[in-house]
Amino acid sequence: MYEHDDIIAAVSGRDTQWQPDRLTRVRSRIAEIEDGLGDPWAPGNPMGFDAVLEADRKEEISPVGLRRFQSLGMPAELVPERLGGRMAGTDLLGLVMRPFFRRDPALAFSHGFTPFLGAQMVWLNGDARQSGRMAGVVLRGGTVGVACQRFEHESEFHAQEYTAAWSDDGMLRLNGRKNAINNAHTAELIIGFVKTGDGETDYSILMFDPATVPPAGVRALGRHRTTGVRGLQAAGLEFLDCPLPGESLVGTWGDGVALSLRAYPAVHAVFPSMAIGLADTALRSAVRAAQEREFGGPAGDATARSAIAGTFADLLIADCLSLTAGRSVHLLPDQCDVLTAVTKYISPKIVGEALYDLSAVMGDAFHAERGHHAVFRKHLRDLSTITFGHVSSAICQSVIAPYLPALADGAPEPEPTPADLFRLEVPLPAMDGARLARFGGGDGLLGYLDRAALRLPDALTLHDGGELLRELVAGLCAEAAEIRREAGRLTGSDNGFLLDTHSFPLSERYALLLAASACVGVWLNAGTGPDAFLTDPAWLVLALHRLLRRIGRPVPPLPRAIEGRLCDEVLERVRVPRSLDVLCTEYAG
């Protein structure tokens, strides 16, 4: 942890420990990508919104966009440095992918997120040969498909599943059908979660090239069309006693659930970070629509200003949480499973709700089918599809809930949260797959609030609104104490999965509290280096105010000037333009 004087220096912008190199590099890289993609609002830009909307209507991914993705070197961003790529930390991957999610979520999801999801399973669980093969495919821009296991709370991608068994000739035999696998018909490699026994956890992970299997063993099914991200090339594959070599097995037989849990923290941290680019466009679209109606002039626009400020605060909440979660995979690998599950669960939910509220700001422009206003509704529809909705929430809550009893009063205190968890500019150690296999379910963030509360009075000496911020943090600390008491009353089964019906509502309150802790940590530690807006408590006050309201606790009145400060910041960033997130990077258009 930083000492007291260091925290005050960070808040006041005089932090002698600030290291600009990592920040300079990522900002430069984002600017390079933005420059290569051009102004998305400009007519005639092949990577602009007009072209993306046309591709969406045709239910395809723009070939120009895909070539630009590869020419800008984006595949290398998905591959760790040790395997020949450029990825120097999971906290940076979401940032550099945002320019593509900002413009074309279908392209970014298919060729950015999906390969990362499949590759993580291999890089953390496979042998050197499998890891090298996957890295080679991703680096040259090859496509990857992921065949998800079936869940009771099905989404279209989690319905149905394959089965596999060993045969006497030493081969694996694959059977079953799935109607929705992204990139199914073009994938050079497919990562499949396959059922291998009768138990609930009897799964294995396979990696294979569908083009190399005997034609009699596989049948290509029709394309599966999605409600959102219509350009996704999802389709089905049916396997009929299809022989696969034994080397297709990733990791150990029957341990697929445990192996996937090792890889999911990075996935859970990175995806919400990527999706902030999509939400950035939606907020920017609403501002542009409101400005066309002389936004900011009439007194009646106070509601619109409040919605814009609130949405911006929610984007900052999601960004602080994803930044913290992405760094936890490297810094706290034996604790990161719960924090990253919280991030994947609560960030898309907060952002999605904010964007639905923002639709009122769009007015009649919300219904536009063509033109630049149409991108708002398209991105809103895309977000609901790529977050997998209820099934994703159920999966994440099933990770969070079993660890709630560890929060009870009297439970051992975890190690203090390191300040580097909140500081994007500090380099990260390599991901440690062995430690990711030993989750402890610890949580230093809940206790962080109590320690941060003691430091706030001094940290706030340079700022207005300090008393309100102290009151909000006190409310969060009271909520943390109540969660600890309720966690001690939960009951569970022998295998640790809670049966108590109170566990899931409690997990939501707990998730919102961790989001608040991440925001406080980023603010106190000046998590992206000296920045006049980031060290201003206005955004933190509004973020914590909104989180406490979501939790259901009473909140003090919010001065109108707080929302005004954030709304003005949004307007300025749209004008310049700069990104509507923590990093505030240069944008094209």
Side-chain angles (χ1 to χ4, degrees):
M1 293 288 292
Y2 281 159
E3 297 301 323
H4 179 78
D5 290 343
D6 295 320
I7 290 182
I8 302 304
V11 172
S12 62
R14 301 191 306 270
D15 185 3
T16 57
Q17 298 191 42
W18 178 58
Q19 302 174 37
D21 289 351
R22 196 172 192 254
L23 277 180
T24 300
R25 288 196 300 272
V26 70
R27 283 193 167 111
S28 176
R29 178 60 173 144
I30 293 171
E32 177 186 22
I33 296 167
E34 281 285 336
D35 185 62
L37 297 176
D39 182 354
W41 307 96
N45 180 358
M47 280 303 298
F49 293 133
D50 287 344
V52 169
L53 287 165
E54 183 61 26
D56 184 69
R57 280 189 286 273
K58 294 179 178 178
E59 300 183 345
E60 62 184 28
I61 289 176
S62 164
V64 174
L66 182 54
R67 289 196 298 271
R68 196 70 57 88
F69 185 88
Q70 294 172 345
S71 66
L72 285 169
M74 299 308 297
E77 301 289 354
L78 306 169
V79 180
E81 291 176 329
R82 66 180 178 84
L83 291 171
R86 300 179 58 161
M87 187 169 64
T90 54
D91 60 334
L92 300 183
L93 178 56
L95 296 174
V96 298
M97 285 298 303
R98 283 179 197 176
F100 277 91
F101 267 92
R102 177 190 176 203
R103 292 164 172 82
D104 191 349
L107 169 62
F109 187 83
S110 288
H111 295 275
F113 177 72
T114 300
F116 176 72
L117 168 61
Q120 281 296 109
M121 302 296 169
V122 178
W123 292 333
L124 287 172
N125 300 304
D127 57 32
R129 181 194 60 82
Q130 291 170 326
S131 295
R133 185 183 182 193
M134 174 61 78
V137 168
V138 176
L139 283 169
R140 68 171 179 267
T143 53
V144 175
V146 179
C148 303
Q149 70 187 83
R150 180 185 179 277
F151 289 104
E152 182 177 350
H153 304 280
E154 293 178 355
S155 76
E156 51 203 333
F157 291 96
H158 294 88
Q160 307 164 306
E161 64 189 1
Y162 296 125
T163 64
W166 291 102
S167 59
D168 293 339
D169 59 3
M171 300 285 282
L172 287 162
R173 299 284 169 169
L174 185 64
N175 283 280
R177 64 180 287 159
K178 281 185 71 70
N179 292 332
I181 303 171
N182 196 22
N183 302 326
H185 292 172
T186 60
E188 293 184 41
L189 289 175
I190 284 182
I191 306 301
F193 294 84
V194 299
K195 187 76 170 171
T196 53
D198 296 329
E200 291 184 2
T201 61
D202 289 336
Y203 284 87
S204 295
I205 301 175
L206 304 182
M207 180 180 81
F208 60 94
D209 180 352
T212 64
V213 303
V218 61
R219 184 165 71 93
L221 305 177
R223 182 176 174 186
H224 180 88
R225 286 173 166 78
T226 52
T227 303
V229 279
R230 295 169 177 165
L232 288 185
Q233 301 301 301
L237 290 173
E238 182 176 16
F239 293 97
L240 309 166
D241 203 33
C242 179
L244 297 177
E247 62 186 19
S248 302
L249 177 66
V250 177
T252 51
W253 182 254
D255 283 344
V257 172
L259 297 177
S260 63
L261 289 175
R262 182 190 298 184
Y264 271 129
V267 173
H268 285 161
V270 164
F271 178 75
S273 180
M274 292 179 174
I276 288 171
L278 180 155
D280 180 299
T281 288
L283 177 52
R284 206 170 295 263
S285 300
V287 169
R288 291 169 66 97
Q291 286 176 326
E292 291 180 6
R293 301 193 311 271
E294 298 183 4
F295 164 66
D301 279 335
T303 300
R305 290 178 64 86
S306 177
I308 287 169
T311 302
F312 183 38
D314 286 347
L315 262 63
L316 295 174
I317 292 169
D319 204 8
C320 289
L321 192 51
S322 60
L323 181 156
T324 304
R327 294 182 64 79
S328 75
V329 176
H330 298 261
L331 294 172
L332 302 170
D334 45 2
Q335 294 185 27
C336 68
D337 54 332
V338 177
L339 174 57
T340 54
V342 162
T343 302
K344 179 60 173 69
Y345 168 59
I346 210 69
S347 292
K349 188 172 185 179
I350 288 174
V351 171
E353 289 173 359
L355 295 189
Y356 274 107
D357 292 342
L358 198 63
S359 62
V361 178
M362 292 290 296
D364 291 341
F366 176 79
H367 302 288
E369 295 291 340
R370 296 184 180 275
H372 59 270
H373 291 318
V375 74
F376 180 92
R377 190 164 60 162
K378 174 197 172 297
H379 274 32
L380 188 63
R381 186 176 65 236
D382 289 352
L383 181 66
S384 64
T385 297
I386 60 181
T387 54
F388 298 131
H390 183 59
V391 66
S392 178
S393 297
I395 294 169
C396 291
Q397 285 189 300
S398 71
V399 175
I400 301 165
Y403 292 111
L404 292 176
L407 304 173
D409 287 327
E413 281 290 325
E415 291 295 318
T417 299
D420 284 356
L421 191 67
F422 310 109
R423 301 175 66 89
L424 187 69
E425 64 272 16
V426 178
L428 291 170
M431 197 181 299
D432 187 340
R435 289 183 65 192
L436 282 168
R438 301 194 305 268
F439 293 129
D443 168 32
L445 271 187
L446 197 64
Y448 181 81
L449 273 175
D450 293 325
R451 293 188 290 274
L454 298 176
R455 302 176 181 205
L456 283 178
D458 288 333
L460 289 167
T461 55
L462 303 174
H463 299 289
D464 296 329
E467 187 57 40
L468 177 56
L469 183 54
R470 281 191 289 268
E471 191 174 348
L472 292 169
V473 172
L476 293 166
C477 290
E479 175 67 13
E482 188 171 324
I483 284 177
R484 290 188 182 99
R485 287 192 296 271
E486 293 186 28
R489 296 194 291 267
L490 293 173
T491 59
S493 61
D494 292 340
N495 66 7
F497 286 87
L498 294 180
L499 303 177
D500 195 315
T501 55
H502 295 94
S503 64
F504 281 83
L506 190 61
S507 70
E508 174 142 355
R509 291 165 52 201
Y510 169 64
L512 291 168
L513 202 62
L514 288 199
S517 299
C519 291
V520 171
V522 169
W523 184 77
L524 270 178
N525 294 286
T528 60
D531 180 278
F533 175 76
L534 197 63
T535 55
D536 185 332
W539 73 267
L540 182 62
V541 166
L542 184 54
L544 300 187
H545 196 273
R546 290 174 70 83
L547 287 168
L548 277 170
R549 286 173 55 195
R550 280 188 171 96
I551 289 170
R553 296 193 71 89
V555 292
L558 185 70
R560 184 170 296 178
I562 294 291
E563 290 185 334
R565 169 76 177 92
L566 266 72
C567 185
D568 289 344
E569 179 73 14
V570 172
L571 295 179
E572 177 62 14
R573 293 194 189 190
V574 170
R575 184 189 70 81
V576 174
R578 286 185 172 271
S579 60
L580 300 171
D581 57 17
V582 167
L583 202 54
C584 190
T585 53
E586 294 181 8
Y587 260 13

